[in-house]
Amino acid sequence: MQIMTKPTQTAPAPLSDSGRDDALYLRIAWRIVPVLLLAYIVAYIDRVNVGFAKLQMQDALGFSDAAFGLGAGLMFVGYCLFEVPSNLLLARIGVRKTFLRIMVLWGLTTVAMVFVTTTAQFYAARFMLGVFEAGLFPGVILYFTYWFPKHRRGRVIGVFMSGALIGNILAGPLSGAAMKFLDGMAGMAGWQWLYITQGVPAIVLGFISYVWLCDGPQHAAWLSDAEKARVQAQADTVPEGHLPRVGQILEALRERQFRGFVLLNFFIVGASYTMVFWVPTLIRSWGVADVFTIGVLSALPSLVGVVGVIALSRHSDRKQERRWHFVGACLVAAVGLWLTTITQGQLVPSLAALCFATLGLASCLPILLASATDQMTPTRSTIDIPLLTSLGILGGFASPAITGLINTRTGHPVYSMYLVIGLFLVSAVLMLLVVPRRKNQANVEARL
């Protein structure tokens, strides 16, 4: 007699190495990226909020436009000078202490703007804001190299850098609300409350990052020993006990490819900050007079840019290709800006063209940084990353200044866009020269 038995349930097939890694790195990303993304959003708002504070602060303190322009620029000078020292300190004391120092000090500096009464105090506060904030961006990019291998890094950098776009979306409404609804509370002006409400979050995030983050995979209590070993085997891990040498700065600057990446970063950062300062003026030139409406419309391209930067960065990782993704992003930005110039006076077509341009504009920098870090060795990245970003940030000082001169001479903001279009076109060509076409081994490595 045949005994009928209940069919045994087949056990699920074990995950492949690739599937196991996908789950592991997704868990790592959800653990460390959100707090860093939030920090970058707050940093970006604190970087640009002076433009909104100016609406009340200038009349209250009697500052001239020239004083405000110089103060805004001094932030970039402090930023440039102290990025490399900050990363050198990070290598010695670790990520948690470094991010705690950075966020608490820049938050306190932002709050200290409440007490500014003279131009000298204003200059000092803006310069120190750059000094204290300088280490965040290169520190985070370096931190990602501890966790993510090259073929997974582009999308993570893209998500992190979308913080600038999100910050650009939030800066106007938050600043306007503070100046309008808190004005006069506790005897302080609205512009003073702006600095308080936007400085305190940085201080809080400093302590959160100290508690929540760890200095590297080897210190992650939430990973098993096998997972730690897996991550460290694939990531760009600096040998234990290795400390970078200041002399590596000269070594980097002697390398032709590194100088090319610096120039690319200078052009792209310059073009990006020109757009940040130029878009509200451009929208006003399309016949929009209401300030609140201008703020809302200026946020739309950034919303589109968030989608573009994440999608293109993920595609770049999946295809393991940076060179043509960067070139494509530059061409999209250039074409979109050109369409913006030929649709002047027509609000809807011009805004649509600007949104299209932002798809490319927002994607250029994360793909560029992913490409640059792909070329760096672990022992060099501690120096090379902050050196690359610190020299590039000077583009944010130079390009808007040149743009202002063009606008003053021509009397219309549209002509300065030809400069920005030129920067994107030159960058596309330069990338083809800096990163020569060759077989990329990352696809092979990703399948191992």
Side-chain angles (χ1 to χ4, degrees), residues 159-333:
V159 171
F160 171 69
M161 294 193 63
S162 68
L165 296 167
I166 299 172
N168 197 41
I169 295 169
L170 298 177
L174 290 177
S175 299
M179 290 191 295
K180 180 176 181 179
F181 299 113
L182 299 180
D183 189 33
M185 183 179 295
M188 290 190 292
W191 65 268
Q192 293 174 309
W193 279 111
L194 179 154
Y195 288 121
I196 294 173
T197 56
Q198 295 177 11
V200 169
I203 300 172
V204 175
L205 279 170
F207 289 101
I208 291 175
S209 66
Y210 182 80
V211 173
W212 187 252
L213 299 177
C214 56
D215 287 331
Q218 68 274 25
H219 303 292
W222 42 275
L223 292 179
S224 68
D225 290 340
E227 289 172 330
K228 293 177 185 178
R230 184 71 175 168
V231 171
Q232 289 182 279
Q234 296 188 64
D236 298 339
T237 305
V238 178
E240 192 71 27
H242 172 84
L243 291 176
R245 297 177 289 105
V246 177
Q248 289 176 322
I249 295 176
L250 297 179
E251 294 176 14
L253 293 176
R254 281 195 292 265
E255 294 180 3
R256 180 178 178 182
Q257 186 182 56
F258 183 79
R259 294 198 302 269
F261 278 125
V262 169
L263 193 57
L264 278 167
N265 197 34
F266 182 89
F267 287 159
I268 295 302
V269 170
S272 299
Y273 273 99
T274 297
M275 294 301 297
V276 167
F277 295 124
W278 170 79
V279 165
T281 302
L282 182 63
I283 293 177
R284 185 173 61 183
S285 73
W286 297 340
V288 181
D290 181 68
V291 176
F292 178 75
T293 303
I294 291 174
V296 172
L297 294 179
S298 65
L300 293 179
S302 295
L303 284 171
V304 175
V306 170
V307 177
V309 70
I310 295 175
L312 195 61
S313 297
R314 288 177 60 87
H315 192 266
S316 173
D317 273 355
R318 189 165 61 251
K319 295 296 184 180
Q320 275 306 284
E321 202 285 324
R322 313 290 189 201
R323 192 170 179 255
W324 287 106
H325 280 76
F326 177 84
V327 171
C330 286
L331 293 179
V332 168

Side-chain angles (χ1 to χ4, degrees), residues 329-367:
C330 286
L331 293 179
V332 168
V335 171
L337 292 177
W338 174 73
L339 291 174
T340 303
T341 64
I342 65 175
T343 55
Q344 283 299 301
Q346 305 174 61
L347 177 60
V348 175
S350 296
L351 189 60
L354 187 59
C355 289
F356 179 72
T358 307
L359 280 173
L361 187 152
S363 304
C364 288
L365 194 54
I367 295 177

Side-chain angles (χ1 to χ4, degrees), residues 41-49 106 110 126 129 198-199 202:
I41 292 172
V42 174
Y44 189 86
I45 292 174
D46 284 347
R47 187 181 303 178
V48 302
N49 59 14
W106 112 53
T110 300
R126 288 292 295 177
L129 179 65
Q198 295 177 11

Side-chain angles (χ1 to χ4, degrees), residues 123-164:
Y123 298 155
R126 288 292 295 177
F127 178 81
M128 295 309 297
L129 179 65
V131 169
F132 294 139
E133 190 193 316
L136 177 69
F137 185 85
V140 171
I141 301 300
L142 177 64
Y143 191 49
F144 286 158
T145 68
Y146 296 171
W147 293 92
F148 300 98
K150 294 177 181 179
H151 63 280
R152 297 179 183 272
R153 199 178 301 147
R155 73 194 76 177
V156 179
I157 294 176
V159 171
F160 171 69
M161 294 193 63
S162 68

Side-chain angles (χ1 to χ4, degrees), residues 12 18 57 67 80 85 103 116 173 193 197-198 251 268 283 293 353 377 384 388 402 413 420 428:
S18 177
M57 189 178 182
C80 173
M103 296 180 200
V116 165
W193 279 111
T197 56
Q198 295 177 11
E251 294 176 14
I268 295 302
I283 293 177
T293 303
T377 63
D384 288 3
L388 172 66
I402 297 173
V420 181

